[in-house]
Amino acid sequence: MVGCIRKLHNVSFSPKIINCRIYPSYNPEAMKEDFKSVNWSSVYKICDVNQALKCFNGIVKSVFDSHAPHIVKKIRGKPCPWINLDIRKLMTTRDRMLRKFRKTKREEDWNLYKKLRNSCNNKMKHAKGEYQKDLLNENVASPEGSGKRLRIFFPTKNKPKNPSVCNDQNLRGIFSEYYAKAAPFLKEQAFPLIDSVWRRPDVIEHRTERVFMMKNISRVFVLNELKQLKRNKATGVDELPPEMLKDVREYIAEPLCYILNLPVKTLTVPLKWKIARLIPIHKSGSINQPKNFRPISVLPVLSKLLEKAVHWQYRNFLEE
């Protein structure tokens, strides 16, 4: 007989500290009432695009903070990717029923809670089994891949070779220096290809004497773009979440339209819209090498409206 021994370790996952907003008491209708009384005259009086955007962000953020304030939250526990939306809703219903039983102390509430608890546990076990089965089936012909999948189910502690690199301050310095040199390095590597890959064509078939001029952005365009915002998108450095911006789009469209038209007149893009939150995602290999991380840039949500306006007007210019 062939025996198989798996050494297990009780891995304690370190908690993750995040900065987020409190949404349980968030009421969009109450926030809309506050925005009705907002005076935007201070924004319209400013002709400098950076100062106008700073004033706009300050007004909007102050109202947002009053309805969904910021908190520092600690997330504990190991990741559970098999928990889907249906299970999360069932867990919420289960916890709500438990809170209800603690208030009422009725037997029927307790029986209903136990029924929801057992249903939630069964669904979670089934989802976890299906998730593990799918991962193993993807690498059924590869022993190395199967070993990696088993380490996901039964994780062990991987101590870095150089623990000092894991310090937050050191990491910020390492990534900052690496990504600051990334653009010049790519430019240096790509320069030999300028005569072959990116060579200017000898004959340009379509040429026009017209000159593209950026026009003023309309309020209707801003309103439609705000309406199409996805609520689950990440928040940029301006700390204005897209879901709250979407809820009050009717009240911020006019001052936002004024700010978007300032770059058209002054040919200046706000500095705040050029700053992105850089999130390094580990791909593979040693964590001591920044090249083993994939950078994810999160720009402010409103900065993309200006980009979309330029693309939309330029597309219409080409179609005319």
Side-chain angles (χ1 to χ4, degrees):
M1 297 178 66
V2 178
C4 179
I5 299 176
R6 174 68 184 173
K7 185 178 180 181
L8 303 180
H9 298 274
N10 185 17
V11 180
S12 59
F13 291 86
S14 57
K16 183 180 180 182
I17 308 298
I18 62 172
N19 189 353
C20 60
R21 292 182 179 270
I22 304 177
Y23 285 104
S25 59
Y26 169 63
N27 187 356
E29 298 301 326
M31 188 174 62
K32 291 179 182 180
E33 292 297 327
D34 289 348
F35 268 99
K36 288 181 180 179
S37 58
V38 172
N39 186 7
W40 301 102
S41 59
S42 57
V43 177
Y44 297 134
K45 293 179 181 178
I46 303 175
C47 296
D48 182 78
V49 62
N50 292 298
Q51 295 299 324
L53 180 61
K54 181 180 179 180
C55 182
F56 173 83
N57 288 347
I59 295 174
V60 176
K61 189 173 180 296
S62 62
V63 180
F64 284 179
D65 291 343
S66 63
H67 291 271
H70 276 281
I71 61 167
V72 178
K73 190 175 182 180
K74 183 182 292 186
I75 301 178
R76 303 178 184 272
K78 61 181 180 180
C80 301
W82 52 84
I83 298 180
N84 53 32
L85 183 59
D86 294 336
I87 296 178
R88 291 185 185 277
K89 290 181 179 179
L90 187 59
M91 293 169 64
T92 303
T93 308
R94 175 203 61 188
D95 297 339
R96 188 184 298 116
M97 183 54 60
L98 178 60
R99 290 193 297 268
K100 182 179 180 181
F101 164 74
R102 288 173 177 173
K103 292 181 179 180
T104 61
K105 302 297 182 179
R106 294 189 303 180
E107 185 178 357
E108 53 268 25
D109 292 340
W110 174 251
N111 294 333
L112 185 56
Y113 161 71
K114 288 195 299 182
K115 184 178 179 180
L116 291 172
R117 181 196 61 187
N118 296 337
S119 177
C120 183
N121 291 339
N122 292 334
K123 285 183 177 295
M124 201 176 308
K125 290 179 182 178
H126 178 73
K128 183 178 180 180
E130 292 296 327
Y131 174 78
Q132 294 177 348
K133 186 189 301 183
D134 292 340
L135 287 182
L136 291 177
N137 289 336
E138 292 177 1
N139 299 270
V140 65
S142 173
E144 181 180 358
S146 300
K148 291 182 180 179
R149 298 308 181 187
L150 287 175
R151 283 192 290 272
I152 296 177
F153 307 149
F154 307 105
T156 57
K157 292 184 178 179
N158 294 323
K159 296 183 179 180
K161 297 180 180 179
N162 187 5
S164 62
V165 178
C166 292
N167 183 271
D168 289 343
Q169 187 175 359
N170 292 337
L171 273 178
R172 284 195 294 266
I174 292 172
F175 284 119
S176 177
E177 182 180 359
Y178 176 76
Y179 290 129
K181 297 179 180 179
F185 174 76
L186 292 175
K187 184 178 180 181
E188 181 182 353
Q189 296 294 320
F191 187 77
L193 303 175
I194 192 172
D195 294 329
S196 57
V197 179
W198 298 313
R199 184 176 56 189
R200 186 180 180 88
D202 298 332
V203 179
I204 301 178
E205 298 180 358
H206 303 284
R207 181 183 292 274
T208 178
E209 299 297 333
R210 297 187 302 156
V211 179
F212 172 71
M213 297 293 293
M214 187 69 183
K215 301 177 182 178
N216 286 336
I217 302 171
S218 64
R219 181 183 179 277
V220 177
F221 175 83
V222 177
L223 198 59
N224 290 335
E225 291 299 326
L226 291 175
K227 186 178 180 180
Q228 296 176 10
L229 289 179
K230 296 183 179 179
R231 296 182 178 273
N232 58 349
K233 287 294 183 180
T235 305
V237 295
D238 56 358
E239 298 180 352
L240 301 180
E243 54 184 335
M244 301 181 74
L245 292 172
K246 186 174 184 177
D247 290 337
V248 296
R249 57 185 180 272
E250 297 90 352
Y251 307 100
I252 65 173
E254 192 67 33
L256 184 58
C257 181
Y258 171 78
I259 294 175
L260 288 172
N261 284 322
L262 284 178
V264 179
K265 299 177 182 178
T266 61
L267 303 180
T268 305
V269 179
L271 296 177
K272 198 75 172 180
W273 286 353
K274 297 180 182 180
I275 303 175
R277 288 195 301 114
L278 191 62
I279 304 175
I281 304 298
H282 183 251
K283 297 185 293 184
S284 61
S286 173
I287 64 171
N288 299 337
Q289 299 294 332
K291 65 180 181 180
N292 294 332
F293 289 79
R294 177 166 55 98
I296 303 297
S297 299
V298 181
L299 285 167
V301 177
L302 298 180
S303 66
K304 301 177 183 179
L305 298 184
L306 182 61
E307 179 184 358
K308 290 182 179 180
V310 175
H311 289 172
W312 180 73
Q313 292 192 16
Y314 187 69
R315 185 170 63 250
N316 293 340
F317 170 77
L318 295 178
E319 291 176 357
E320 292 179 356

